[in-house]
Amino acid sequence: MNGLYTALMCSFDEQGNINEKGLREIVRYNIDVSKVDGLYVNGSTGENFLISTEAKKKIFDIVKDEVGDSVKLIGQVGALNIDEAIELAQYATDLNYDAISAVTPFYYKFEFEEIKDYYNTILENVDNDLIIYSIPALTGVNMNLEQFGELFQNEKVIGVKFTAPDFFLLERLRHAYPNKLIYSGFDEMLLSASVLNIDGAIGSTFNVNGQRAKQIFELAQNGQIEEAREVQKVTNDLIAEILTNGLYQTIKEILKYKGVDAGFCRKPMKTLKPEGLAKARKIAEKYL
Ligand code: NAY
């Protein structure tokens, strides 16, 4: 399960329906052009929290059908409705997803014991391994070293997608749990995380910048830090421009520039205005 996973985008039409052809093209681009090791399906980048349970299942179906066994698949199933999380976990498992992942429950200020119960309850109901999806900036859920350790006591919790700029905690986690998988979640910090000996990374910008991300990760693993720094610098120039123009919308426009039918984002995400579209095109021409 090591390596680079794209946090997969989904193509939607202007009404917000799944564009199956476009989704298949995004999958193919990631496998054939970016050559990533796997796909993280129905994460934040997949606009998972904006779509229905049926739509989530349909995306799991289409992606598995397109991928077969050619790359690893992690299905994000986390939901505030724990019954939905279990249903999706079983669904992805039945489709032979290699692992499931679940975001920490958010919105309500859950106590740690409640968060632990959420993960253990999902895992009691599904025969698969799970990767914790930790993203404190969006969920408000900050867990410490000991709390991660408590979650890791469940053998089916095989790792964490660590989307936070806390390198002290990342180093402590790596040191304390050498047998758990640690994936870095912020693409702009990939090199810094890689030198701490992470097992892989999961990122939204890999949809378009997967080749550079792979280079950064592999150069760092080979100890070629100076070379990795150069690639991270270009990557961060690209990410900075994407972030100022609208993250997911701009990635979709770059994909379109590359001939991929990436569609639109779902409301309430904005649609880029002509200036934003022109900016996205400039970014694509400059970096890809
Ligand atoms: C997800 O589930 O799609 C992710 O969390 C992937 C990680 C990304 N986080 C979000 C919130 O999109 O790739 C990052 C992020 O977009 C990138 O580093 C730019 O900041």
Side-chain angles (χ1 to χ4, degrees):
M1 295 292 291
N2 293 36
L4 284 212
Y5 287 69
T6 297
L8 193 70
M9 310 223 91
C10 183
S11 179
F12 297 103
D13 66 21
E14 277 179 283
Q15 285 70 46
N17 304 307
I18 296 166
N19 166 3
E20 177 170 345
K21 172 181 159 284
L23 175 55
R24 286 182 186 274
E25 287 181 20
I26 296 174
V27 170
R28 287 258 61 87
Y29 189 81
N30 272 291
I31 296 175
D32 300 338
V33 179
S34 300
K35 298 195 178 355
V36 291
D37 303 298
L39 303 174
Y40 187 84
V41 185
N42 283 337
S44 310
T45 309
E47 298 168 64
N48 173 74
F49 304 105
L50 307 179
I51 61 178
S52 70
T53 312
E54 288 317 305
K56 293 174 193 179
K57 287 182 177 175
K58 190 170 172 191
I59 292 168
F60 280 147
D61 281 332
I62 294 168
V63 174
K64 180 63 187 176
D65 183 62
E66 188 61 40
V67 167
D69 295 324
S70 59
V71 297
K72 299 276 184 200
L73 289 177
I74 302 174
Q76 199 294 126
V77 302
L80 282 183
N81 176 344
I82 196 161
D83 298 328
E84 186 195 14
I86 291 168
E87 185 181 334
L88 290 169
Q90 290 171 340
Y91 196 82
T93 300
D94 288 346
L95 284 171
N96 277 328
Y97 272 60
D98 297 281
I100 54 167
S101 178
V103 69
T104 52
F106 51 93
Y107 189 77
Y108 300 102
K109 302 266 175 247
F110 295 106
E111 294 168 12
F112 175 69
E113 285 307 315
E114 295 170 320
I115 295 173
K116 191 166 127 185
D117 183 59
Y118 163 88
Y119 283 111
N120 289 336
T121 304
I122 293 173
L123 284 171
E124 275 163 22
N125 286 282
V126 63
D127 185 18
N128 206 343
D129 294 327
L130 180 140
I131 291 150
I132 299 160
Y133 179 9
S134 176
I135 180 159
L138 294 186
T139 59
V141 177
N142 277 287
M143 292 188 291
N144 61 33
L145 184 66
E146 291 69 31
Q147 290 171 331
F148 276 109
E150 277 198 49
L151 299 183
F152 285 155
Q153 276 174 13
N154 186 329
E155 283 185 2
K156 288 162 87 178
V157 177
I158 58 167
V160 57
K161 166 159 137 56
F162 186 89
T163 311
D166 186 341
F167 290 98
F168 183 27
L169 178 56
L170 179 59
E171 187 280 333
R172 293 288 81 192
L173 277 169
R174 173 72 302 165
H175 180 75
Y177 306 107
N179 298 325
K180 298 291 181 181
L181 292 165
I182 301 181
Y183 300 98
S184 166
F186 274 132
D187 315 350
E188 51 277 43
M189 301 173 199
L190 177 57
L191 172 57
S192 315
S194 297
V195 295
L196 292 176
N197 208 15
I198 52 170
D199 301 290
I202 300 169
S204 66
T205 61
F206 303 171
N207 280 283
V208 291
N209 195 49
Q211 291 185 5
R212 285 197 191 96
K214 264 201 116 168
Q215 279 177 347
I216 294 167
F217 185 57
E218 287 170 5
L219 285 167
Q221 284 188 318
N222 291 335
Q224 294 171 266
I225 302 304
E226 188 54 46
E227 291 89 337
R229 207 155 44 201
E230 291 293 315
V231 187
Q232 184 75 68
K233 193 251 166 214
V234 180
T235 289
N236 286 3
D237 290 344
L238 165 64
I239 293 176
E241 293 204 42
I242 288 176
L243 288 174
T244 53
N245 200 49
L247 175 62
Y248 303 138
Q249 294 89 344
T250 305
I251 295 174
K252 286 189 177 181
E253 289 307 317
I254 296 173
L255 280 168
K256 286 183 203 168
Y257 173 83
K258 302 300 281 183
V260 177
D261 182 11
F264 300 86
C265 290
R266 270 182 66 91
K267 284 184 189 299
M269 287 199 191
K270 68 179 180 188
T271 303
L272 289 181
K273 300 205 164 62
E275 314 84 80
L277 292 173
K279 178 80 202 298
R281 194 174 174 88
K282 279 209 170 109
I283 296 171
E285 283 165 358
K286 188 165 161 194
Y287 295 97
L288 292 146

